[in-house]
């Protein structure tokens, strides 16, 4: 039997042109102040802030509304240490062998290397998993759709929510990341998608002097 369709009123809030313009400008300026941070303070951030940000991420659109994501928020110093050790092992391989000359040149302006102290100093590591399949209520395996797109959108919303709350982040993707399943006890059908490092920047933290493309380089209105 096909699942039943049920609809309800949208409850859309119409803002009007002036308010739309104001909010669009404010949001764009807010987002342009976001920078990826690699030098974190050990200063704590309230857990409710992370909970609300993950709640916001969980409102993302997803293929067939399957919500094919799972977040593991790591606060434990011991687990952060295990993640750091495993990630640095992969990163050493990456920087010494796996990365092409072209790739290493592209990373040069960022000044990154295999050394990842932020995986221990930041108060939170948010491990994001992508679920190719979900479990139906009757225990059957349900295929999910557009999982990379869905989890990418949710991750973007998580980054925006944290930034809006004054929390700095770093998208970190040691490759391969299979070690996360083992350390965090997640099932094999969940694919580690990204580690989002979250916290406050260390005092005097510096970021690469790189900019963003202007609007006319990234959009055409036709
Ligand atoms: N995962 C490595 C390398 C790296 C790759 C890209 I593409 C970046 O934008 C930044 C880093 C690392 O974290 O150092």
């Amino acid at each position: 039997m096909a699942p039943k369709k049920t609809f309800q009123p949208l409850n859309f809030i119409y803002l009007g042109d002036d308010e739309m313009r104001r909010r669009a400008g404010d949001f764009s300026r807010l987002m342009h102040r976001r920078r990826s941070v690699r030098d974190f303070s050990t200063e704590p951030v309230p857990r409710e802030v992370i909970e609300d940000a993950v709640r916001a991420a969980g409102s993302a659109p997803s293929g067939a509304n399957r919500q094919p994501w799972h977040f593991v928020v790591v606060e434990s110093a011991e687990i952060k240490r295990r993640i750091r050790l495993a990630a640095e092992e992969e990163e050493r391989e990456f920087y010494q062998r796996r990365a092409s000359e072209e790739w290493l040149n592209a990373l040069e302006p960022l000044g990154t290397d295999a050394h990842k102290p932020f995986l221990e100093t930041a108060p939170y590591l948010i491990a994001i998993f992508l679920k190719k399949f979900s479990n139906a209520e009757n225990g059957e395996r349900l295929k999910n759709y557009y999982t990379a797109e869905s989890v990418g959108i949710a991750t973007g919303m998580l980054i925006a929510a944290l930034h809006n709350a004054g929390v700095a982040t770093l998208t970190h993707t040691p490759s391969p990341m299979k070690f996360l399943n083992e350390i965090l006890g997640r099932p094999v059908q969940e694919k580690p998608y990204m580690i989002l490092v979250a916290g406050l920047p260390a005092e005097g933290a510096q970021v690469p002097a790189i900019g963003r493309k202007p609007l006319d380089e990234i959009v055409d209105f036709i």
Side-chain angles (χ1 to χ4, degrees):
M1 198 183 73
K4 197 167 136 12
K5 285 196 279 267
T6 315
F7 279 72
Q8 64 188 25
L10 169 62
N11 282 329
F12 184 82
I13 299 170
Y14 176 71
L15 296 174
D17 290 357
D18 289 348
E19 180 69 1
M20 273 188 209
R21 282 197 185 88
R22 197 180 63 73
R23 289 196 188 202
D26 285 350
F27 191 70
S28 171
R29 283 182 291 275
L30 172 70
M31 292 313 291
H32 272 268
R33 283 202 302 273
R34 188 202 58 80
R35 294 298 311 262
S36 290
V37 165
R38 292 185 171 79
D39 192 6
F40 282 87
S41 149
T42 56
E43 197 64 35
V45 164
R47 184 192 280 189
E48 306 89 271
V49 171
I50 306 298
E51 282 175 358
D52 270 333
V54 175
R55 201 173 269 122
S59 75
S62 63
N65 190 37
R66 288 285 158 78
Q67 306 166 54
W69 41 67
H70 189 81
F71 302 89
V72 180
V73 181
V74 180
E75 298 175 272
S76 150
E78 192 201 313
I79 299 175
K80 282 194 262 179
R81 173 145 195 88
R82 290 179 61 196
I83 291 175
R84 176 183 179 180
L85 292 177
E88 285 184 333
E89 205 172 300
E90 295 298 349
E91 294 292 10
R92 276 194 297 276
E93 272 297 305
F94 173 81
Y95 283 96
Q96 287 166 17
R97 274 178 280 279
R98 282 202 286 261
S100 62
E101 207 45 42
E102 187 182 12
W103 196 343
L104 291 176
N105 285 338
L107 294 179
E108 181 78 38
L110 305 183
T112 54
D113 58 27
H115 193 222
K116 305 296 179 192
F118 52 75
L119 292 173
E120 283 192 271
T121 46
Y124 298 102
L125 304 181
I126 309 175
I128 303 165
F129 291 87
L130 176 158
K131 297 166 68 166
K132 285 266 186 211
F133 299 91
S134 293
N135 293 317
E137 271 166 35
N138 61 8
E140 253 176 67
R141 211 165 82 140
L142 274 180
K143 185 175 153 33
N144 292 333
Y145 304 95
Y146 296 101
T147 52
E149 292 84 348
S150 304
V151 180
I153 295 167
T155 301
M157 290 174 59
L158 178 57
I159 293 167
L162 288 167
H163 175 65
N164 179 58
V167 180
T169 57
L170 176 69
T171 52
H172 182 50
T173 52
S175 170
M177 271 190 288
K178 264 281 152 222
F179 62 83
L180 280 179
N181 290 73
E182 197 189 312
I183 295 176
L184 301 176
R186 298 308 304 172
V188 287
Q189 52 297 4
E190 291 186 7
K191 195 173 148 239
Y193 181 81
M194 185 175 291
I195 299 173
L196 194 68
V197 184
L200 296 174
E203 195 132 343
Q206 298 227 348
V207 291
I210 52 177
R212 269 74 188 242
K213 293 177 185 174
L215 189 67
D216 64 359
E217 270 185 44
I218 63 168
V219 69
D220 285 305
F221 288 87
I222 59 170

